[in-house]
Amino acid sequence: MDLIYTEAGFLIYIDMVNLKFYKYQATGNDFILIDNRTLKLQLDQPQIQKLCDRKFGIGSDGLILIQDHPDSDFEMVFYNPDGSQSLCGNGSRCAVNFASFLGIFQGSTRFLAFDGEHQADILPDGQVRLKMGDVQNVRLMADGMFIDTGSPHLIKYVINVQNYRVYDEGKAIRNGGLFKEAGVNVNFVQITGDSEIFVRTYERGVENETLSCGTGVTAAAIASSHKGLNSPVTVNTQGGTLTVEYTQISNDNYSDIYLTGPAEKVFEGTIELN
Ligand SMILES: N[C@H](CCC[C@H](N)C(=O)O)C(=O)O
């Protein structure tokens, strides 16, 4: 049973709605996007889980609602498939392209996400350049470097990332003592050049490896400044290539952080939502 507002502003109960959705992917990190500006749908965790399920639903690494906001061009509300929330870098880049498709803005935008307001530009080649929040802390831990780029990330450097047991080791760390409660995204990183890395990520809330993770590649690029790499960093992932730029102010302080890469519509459709 859902509560929604009609165009006239009436609050009505509905048993089932034919929900229009759009499917986007950003370097293989895929998302369901819904224009929620009029619908004002409030989804519960079982509905989110079902929509994101790759067998019983549409299938995705997350779900994003686009909503009006009095102080920004729009607000994006992101959910992991398990219903948990955080900033989503690749999802934000998809939301920017979707909001432009909806005619909410052209060229440059300011929108609200889980960790506050972000600015983004759609580049002439269609890639999206997203401004990330500043980073004030790089914590060296036994298991690797911990950096929060709007979602929590652990960075581990490995020799042969292509053959690494990302799922097994990522799952163990994410559910291990230190991170069991809040969870963490685990990024396995191989330095492949003077300003190039390859990143594979086990994602919290997806509870699996994803083909790329925007906040993860951002954290990995920043961590790599402690390994002698400088901005801009080319980050290759299983799903494609991204670029991370930043200004390092001090050992732990980074600002003007930008994540750039493609974000494309794959298909659109409707689904019956109970
Ligand atoms: N799973 C992450 C959120 C999505 C991160 C990733 N999809 C991205 O592009 O940043 C978490 O719960 O911290």
Side-chain angles (χ1 to χ4, degrees):
M1 178 81 86
D2 253 316
L3 277 174
I4 67 162
Y5 290 89
T6 63
E7 287 274 349
F10 292 109
L11 185 59
I12 59 169
Y13 283 100
I14 50 159
D15 275 328
M16 192 276 290
V17 62
N18 247 329
L19 183 63
K20 173 81 175 175
F21 69 86
Y22 294 78
K23 190 77 192 315
Y24 276 69
Q25 64 81 17
T27 51
N29 208 190
D30 63 331
F31 305 95
I32 299 162
L33 287 106
I34 293 163
D35 180 0
N36 202 33
R37 292 176 295 169
T38 305
L39 262 183
K40 297 185 171 55
L41 266 183
Q42 288 154 3
L43 300 172
D44 60 24
Q45 197 261 357
Q47 288 173 319
I48 293 165
Q49 207 153 15
K50 174 149 186 242
L51 288 168
C52 294
D53 189 287
R54 295 200 184 275
K55 301 291 183 196
F56 297 101
I58 302 162
S60 72
D61 291 334
L63 183 144
I64 297 167
L65 302 176
I66 300 297
Q67 305 183 160
D68 286 323
H69 191 276
D71 307 323
S72 304
D73 291 340
F74 64 94
E75 178 182 18
M76 71 165 274
V77 182
F78 167 80
Y79 297 96
N80 280 307
D82 71 356
S84 60
Q85 291 188 278
S86 87
L87 172 68
C88 179
N90 285 332
S92 296
R93 297 188 303 102
C94 291
V96 166
N97 260 351
F98 181 48
S100 174
F101 165 79
L102 293 175
I104 293 175
F105 76 93
Q106 295 304 322
S108 292
T109 185
R110 286 183 309 112
F111 66 96
L112 193 65
F114 184 77
D115 65 336
E117 187 172 88
H118 292 258
Q119 187 268 328
D121 296 285
I122 299 179
L123 304 180
D125 65 1
Q127 293 198 88
V128 178
R129 184 170 186 255
L130 170 71
K131 193 171 196 294
M132 306 292 281
D134 293 350
V135 164
Q136 271 95 26
N137 188 10
V138 176
R139 206 184 327 156
L140 301 184
M141 307 176 81
D143 257 342
M145 284 189 233
F146 180 86
I147 301 178
D148 191 312
T149 49
S151 67
H153 289 273
L154 190 76
I155 310 295
K156 280 181 74 72
Y157 287 90
V158 299
I159 302 297
N160 185 348
V161 73
Q162 290 296 1
N163 297 332
Y164 207 80
R165 297 166 41 255
V166 168
Y167 179 80
D168 294 338
E169 186 157 337
K171 184 175 183 178
I173 293 170
R174 178 262 183 271
N175 292 296
L178 215 53
F179 298 110
K180 186 157 188 58
E181 197 50 45
V184 70
N185 300 283
V186 189
N187 301 272
F188 300 92
V189 183
Q190 180 176 344
I191 295 173
T192 52
D194 292 346
S195 58
E196 186 180 80
I197 57 178
F198 198 104
V199 181
R200 292 177 65 188
T201 307
Y202 178 93
E203 269 201 52
R204 170 187 77 164
V206 180
E207 304 309 327
N208 206 337
E209 180 180 2
T210 56
L211 294 182
S212 78
C213 173
T215 49
V217 304
T218 304
I222 285 177
S224 297
S225 68
H226 288 251
K227 301 281 186 183
L229 276 70
N230 299 308
S231 171
V233 182
T234 297
V235 186
N236 294 305
T237 71
Q238 308 276 43
T241 298
L242 297 130
T243 304
V244 177
E245 304 160 83
Y246 59 80
T247 300
Q248 182 170 8
I249 297 164
S250 69
N251 203 37
D252 272 14
N253 263 296
Y254 299 78
S255 65
D256 300 321
I257 304 169
Y258 291 90
L259 171 68
T260 301
E264 289 148 5
K265 185 172 105 170
V266 184
F267 63 89
E268 57 187 84
T270 54
I271 187 168
E272 286 187 9
L273 184 71
N274 301 309

